[in-house]
Amino acid sequence: MATEKKSNFKNIVGTGFPEYVNDQIKKRGEKLNTTNRSNSILEFLTNRNVWFRLSSGVDVNNDSSLAKNNVLQGGTLNTNQNIRGGFNETYSKGTNDDLGFKPMPGITNVSIGTGGKWQTLMQADIEFICYDLDQLDRMTKLYMSLGCNVFLEWGHSNYFRKDDTFETNPSSIDFFEYKDRDKLLKETTNKRQSSQGNYECLLGKVYNFDWSANNDGSYNCKIQVMGSGGIVESLKINTASNVNFDIFLTEEDTDE
């Protein structure tokens, strides 16, 4: 009597943590349990923060200059992709009002979660502030338009690598260097691995936005972004071995 060989479907939804994530978890536990703590360990335990960066994929008049000059963090980045510094860079006068010098716009809050039946989607609520109508106009073109592509990055400000190197200056991805979506996603995968799980990102579309005016002349803005989550990359489909799928083809499929 023939017996039916059943496939093992235990990993059809997803897989376990990547090895570099397991290594990072072990490394953190090791540092937490250290009794003789160095300056690096004390900094890691007491001064570990999260950084965020938001870039726009919108080309205004077929030019990405406006997007490159308005990458959002706690403020905006300059052309060298560094946070602006000094009075002349961080303060400016609006052309449509007479309210004096105003600070640069910046992110005030980020909330990230998952959605979908199998948590295959990643969603982010991003809040930022504008201080005059000129800034609001730029942010509307770049970020507050339905369907526009944005790239959100975040990670830990410091962490220990597997080889015990203490990383205090994590880098981000140059979003504007990549014109091909698949190449960008491949680079993000490499970045997660090279940072040993201390970097994450979301490439998605804006599906909702809102803004409100404050009494001091500033504007609170909020966008909601949705993109594919990390679990999509870990999905696997089990197929039985030694199965000839040609038996399911019809004559029309095989005719040339």
Side-chain angles (χ1 to χ4, degrees):
M1 182 177 179
T3 59
E4 181 182 0
K5 184 177 180 180
K6 297 183 179 180
S7 300
N8 183 7
F9 292 97
K10 66 180 181 179
N11 65 338
I12 192 170
V13 174
T15 61
F17 289 133
E19 190 62 30
Y20 63 83
V21 174
N22 292 326
D23 291 338
Q24 181 64 200
I25 293 174
K26 293 177 182 178
K27 178 61 65 175
R28 293 181 187 181
E30 174 188 321
K31 299 304 177 184
L32 286 171
N33 292 324
T34 300
T35 55
N36 186 16
R37 294 174 175 175
S38 63
N39 291 335
S40 297
I41 295 178
L42 290 174
E43 182 179 350
F44 171 73
L45 296 177
T46 61
N47 194 28
R48 186 170 69 253
N49 296 305
V50 177
W51 61 268
F52 294 93
R53 176 175 292 186
L54 181 65
S55 305
S56 173
V58 175
D59 290 340
V60 179
N61 297 325
N62 296 320
D63 188 4
S64 62
S65 297
L66 187 65
K68 291 180 179 179
N69 290 325
N70 288 276
V71 176
L72 291 175
Q73 284 193 204
T76 55
L77 306 185
N78 56 28
T79 54
N80 296 324
Q81 297 301 292
N82 296 318
I83 195 73
R84 298 180 191 274
F87 185 87
N88 292 333
E89 280 195 345
T90 57
Y91 286 83
S92 62
K93 283 186 176 181
T95 58
N96 297 321
D97 54 45
D98 190 20
L99 300 177
F101 287 95
K102 291 300 182 81
M104 57 185 173
I107 295 175
T108 57
N109 188 51
V110 177
S111 176
I112 302 167
T114 56
K117 182 177 181 180
W118 296 104
Q119 305 301 303
T120 54
L121 298 176
M122 189 176 293
Q123 300 170 311
D125 293 348
I126 306 165
E127 299 176 21
F128 53 92
I129 188 169
C130 300
Y131 292 96
D132 58 37
L133 288 174
D134 285 348
Q135 296 177 6
L136 182 63
D137 180 61
R138 294 197 299 269
M139 296 302 110
T140 298
K141 293 177 180 177
L142 296 175
Y143 299 105
M144 292 190 290
S145 298
L146 294 179
C148 70
N149 293 308
V150 296
F151 185 56
L152 176 65
E153 302 172 272
W154 67 94
H156 287 117
S157 59
N158 56 51
Y159 58 90
F160 281 94
R161 294 185 176 275
K162 183 179 179 180
D163 61 2
D164 223 29
T165 301
F166 187 49
E167 178 64 61
T168 59
N169 189 28
S171 61
S172 60
I173 293 176
D174 186 356
F175 170 67
F176 302 101
E177 180 182 343
Y178 297 90
K179 302 300 181 183
D180 185 87
R181 182 178 183 273
D182 291 337
K183 290 182 179 180
L184 174 61
L185 293 178
K186 183 177 180 180
E187 179 61 24
T188 61
T189 300
N190 294 335
K191 188 67 175 178
R192 292 186 188 98
Q193 185 171 356
S194 64
S195 65
Q196 300 181 356
N198 289 281
Y199 171 92
E200 189 54 83
C201 63
L202 166 61
L203 177 62
K205 293 182 180 292
V206 174
Y207 69 91
N208 196 12
F209 66 89
D210 186 25
W211 62 268
S212 60
N214 299 320
N215 294 331
D216 61 356
S218 62
Y219 303 89
N220 291 327
C221 306
K222 179 180 179 179
I223 62 173
Q224 293 179 291
V225 181
M226 181 178 294
S228 59
I231 194 173
V232 173
E233 299 178 359
S234 68
L235 286 174
K236 288 187 176 182
I237 298 178
N238 294 279
T239 57
S241 58
N242 300 323
V243 176
N244 182 14
F245 291 96
D246 292 338
I247 62 175
F248 300 106
L249 297 177
T250 64
E251 295 182 357
E252 295 180 355
D253 296 325
T254 58
D255 289 342
E256 296 182 358

